[in-house]
Amino acid sequence: MFEDGAIINELLIERLNYIIYVVLLLIGLHAMISKQNLIKKLIGMSIFQTAIILFYVSIAVKDNATIPIYKTEHDPHGDAAKAAVLDLNRSGEETKAFYAPVMLKPEETQQYSNPLPHVLMLTAIVVGVATLGLALALCLRIQQGYGTVEEDELLVKIERSDARYSQSPLAKAKNRRRTQSRNTRKPRTSVKSTKSIGKSAKPLESRDSTKTKKTTSKSNLSQPKKKPASTSRKPRSSSSKVEGSKPTTPKAPAKKASEKTRAPKKKGAE
Amino acid sequence: MKWISLIPVVGVGVLLLFAAQDFPEWGDPQSPASQSPVASHFINNTGVDTEVPNMVTAVLADYRGFDTMFETVVVFIAGIAVLAILKGSGGRRRGTRRAYEVEAEPDIIVTHTVRLMVPVIQIFAFYVLAHGHVSPGGGFQGGVVMGASFILVALAWDLDHALVRMSLPRCMAIAAAGIIIYAGIGFLSMFLGGEFLDYAELEKVLPVSREMARYHAMLGVEIGVGFTVTSIMFALYANLSTEGRLKGGL
């Protein structure tokens, strides 16, 4: 198994950098796929990014070569150039020609590693930082809005809030049409879910008042919106009580008062 | 059901390891990355074209200047996006403090140490930025070091102390100024008869040769990048650490 040219030998000794990059990449990939926590997903993304950076930098390694910065003897402004100029000054010849750097010979080119991967990874790191900051901001906002960054809890909450407020006018119109058609067929539907409360409220209205369409549609809109909100708010408030939030109305005065009391404190502290 | 994700992960891993056998060995001078004509072109011509000893800086700011400009714009846009996402969301602040928030005086040892360290860090940032032509460094690195010094102030005292010196509107103005410097150098070289970001044309306004005009224009470009990165790094920290309230914080 370990004779010359075997796979394991080859991978472990000559290509260890690829193994490390593959392992890091898989850790990141696994975290991104399987973790429910959004922050853990971000950590996975960062590890993935690190793996790519390691890959690029490691393929730029070159034996017997230095970093892509000119050595002093090749440096256009280095000691070697200056010494040459000084020598020429002493002998009194034209000096300007030596300021211009000369093209490297092929064997001198071999002394430097390729600068391009380093440049690419430099920009990748910077963009990685920017995107990571943006992603963290999004996570913060999600946490503020839904009280969690766990994906499964988040999906449940989003579904619930979607059911509560049907946002898009298109979906609203669709719902209305569906309820109308159902009501003409079956006026009395059994009251089961929060949705059907609103639906059942509608035919009563339309039977009582034979008004213009506008008023009926308005009452239709207002009633189903109110009722499900009042009924389905209960689970949300009970769940958010754990995090210590209060209903919306007393928030603003409390916050203002706290700001007032806090402001002089800070001045005193300074 | 987490183990299901292991199936694609292991599949990808096997594929990558299988492909890794065909990759060049560690440090192989004959590898495509080392032997490509692009690499030898950069290594040969950087000194002749720009007289910049650090090839990475030359490639970053000159040969790939267009790319780097929009890189900077990406950083700027990320800062603006974070601001837009978190701005105003601080209204959910309650009167009560959270459990992890305590009213504490800044520690005297920490603040005095930081007071000594910050000027050194900032001078080092300028050095990294300005010396990026001849040693590892440049606008991004110097900018990050500079931004870190402001973050250190915010950590040692509180965010208000740092915001007095670097308020958020000022941050955004500096970030925009950085991009304007970068694009301005590009447009200037365009109006002087070259192409966009063709720094060599700046010899008409600078008293130097064409090569040294590129050298100095690169420094200007790096300064622009440094401006943007500095302020965006601090703006990111200030917004993320306080959930956009810009008050209190860590």
Side-chain angles (χ1 to χ4, degrees), chain A residues 25-39:
Chain A
L25 193 134
L26 294 187
I27 291 171
L29 192 66
H30 184 255
M32 277 199 288
I33 293 175
S34 71
K35 293 292 171 194
Q36 296 284 350
N37 193 315
L38 293 182
I39 301 289

Side-chain angles (χ1 to χ4, degrees), chain A residues 194-207:
Chain A
T194 53
K195 260 189 192 171
S196 56
I197 290 175
K199 285 170 201 163
S200 65
K202 193 221 153 193
L204 285 175
E205 279 264 334
S206 55
R207 243 180 274 150

Side-chain angles (χ1 to χ4, degrees), chain A residues 15 18 63 70 101 109 114 127 144, chain B residues 23-24 27 33 43-44 47 53 71:
Chain A
R15 292 177 169 80
Y18 298 117
D63 279 338
Y70 286 124
T109 307
N114 188 358
V127 170
Q144 286 172 351
Chain B
F23 280 139
I43 293 169
N44 280 323
E71 208 81 35

Side-chain angles (χ1 to χ4, degrees), chain B residues 14-152:
Chain B
V14 168
L15 271 178
L16 286 175
L17 282 179
F18 179 68
Q21 294 175 56
D22 293 335
F23 280 139
E25 287 172 21
W26 172 266
D28 182 13
Q30 299 303 316
S31 72
S34 301
Q35 283 302 315
S36 76
V38 182
S40 53
H41 176 87
F42 283 146
I43 293 169
N44 280 323
N45 289 34
T46 298
V48 182
D49 287 348
T50 67
E51 302 195 14
V52 173
N54 186 351
M55 294 169 230
V56 175
T57 303
V59 175
L60 185 82
D62 194 322
Y63 295 109
R64 295 177 64 89
F66 204 60
D67 179 44
T68 308
M69 189 177 120
F70 286 101
E71 208 81 35
T72 318
V73 173
V74 164
V75 173
F76 181 63
I77 289 174
I80 286 182
V82 169
L83 217 68
I85 289 167
L86 291 178
K87 188 85 179 170
S89 66
R92 301 181 144 260
R93 173 79 170 168
R94 288 116 200 162
T96 53
R97 284 176 179 280
R98 302 243 177 92
Y100 56 83
E101 287 175 334
V102 285
E103 181 89 43
E105 283 287 305
D107 188 77
I108 192 162
I109 296 172
V110 172
T111 53
H112 278 252
T113 315
V114 168
R115 206 191 292 275
L116 289 175
M117 275 165 63
V118 163
V120 181
I121 292 174
Q122 293 188 342
I123 289 172
F124 182 70
F126 283 127
Y127 157 75
V128 168
L129 197 155
H131 215 249
H133 290 72
V134 280
S135 67
F140 288 113
Q141 297 91 325
V144 169
V145 174
M146 192 59 143
S149 74
F150 286 108
I151 292 174
L152 192 60

